[in-house]
Amino acid sequence: MVSPPWGIWLPGSAFIVVGLVVIWCSFKLSRKYRVLPMDGCGRCGYPIRGLRSVIYPECGAHRAEVGVFRPKPQVSFGHGVILLVGMVLVGIGLAPLFWPVIMVIMILIATFIQAAS
């Protein structure tokens, strides 16, 4: 089996390493900056987690009068984009591993075309 020249392997391994680092960083950043939305006062937004009183200490409003504010969960596409970039870099780095398979397929296609002519 013929192996690709080192000129292909060195940049390919660099792409793999950089891609894996980018993927790792995307997971670390997504866990670090994840914020869970908390219910809050309907008037001032004061967080009510663990609050036993029906009177909000921040603005003095009664819970039955102003209600509870429930924020919608925020969707961040930043993690997905960073993850996609890392996966593309790893894919570019792994491409030289598959060049013998691609060459065999091309030879088989050329053989079938030549036989059909």
Side-chain angles (χ1 to χ4, degrees):
M1 182 171 139
V2 179
S3 65
W6 284 106
I8 294 175
W9 283 105
L10 291 178
S13 60
F15 275 109
I16 292 172
V17 169
V18 170
L20 291 174
V21 168
V22 168
I23 291 171
W24 180 77
C25 287
S26 73
F27 281 115
K28 286 301 225 183
L29 288 175
S30 71
R31 292 184 71 206
K32 183 177 181 180
Y33 292 109
R34 185 181 316 151
V35 177
L36 300 175
M38 283 198 294
D39 295 346
C41 170
R43 182 183 295 165
C44 66
Y46 182 81
I48 61 170
R49 183 180 294 169
L51 186 64
R52 294 184 181 177
S53 172
V54 293
I55 305 292
Y56 297 121
E58 185 77 14
C59 63
H62 194 276
R63 185 180 295 188
E65 294 175 8
V66 294
V68 175
F69 171 70
R70 292 202 165 97
K72 295 179 182 176
Q74 296 178 351
V75 178
S76 172
F77 294 103
H79 168 70
V81 170
I82 294 172
L83 185 62
L84 180 65
V85 167
M87 291 171 62
V88 166
L89 289 173
V90 170
I92 290 171
L94 290 176
L97 293 175
F98 300 106
W99 81 271
V101 175
I102 294 169
M103 293 301 290
V104 168
I105 291 171
M106 289 175 60
I107 290 171
L108 288 173
I109 290 172
T111 305
F112 285 124
I113 290 174
Q114 195 173 30
S117 311

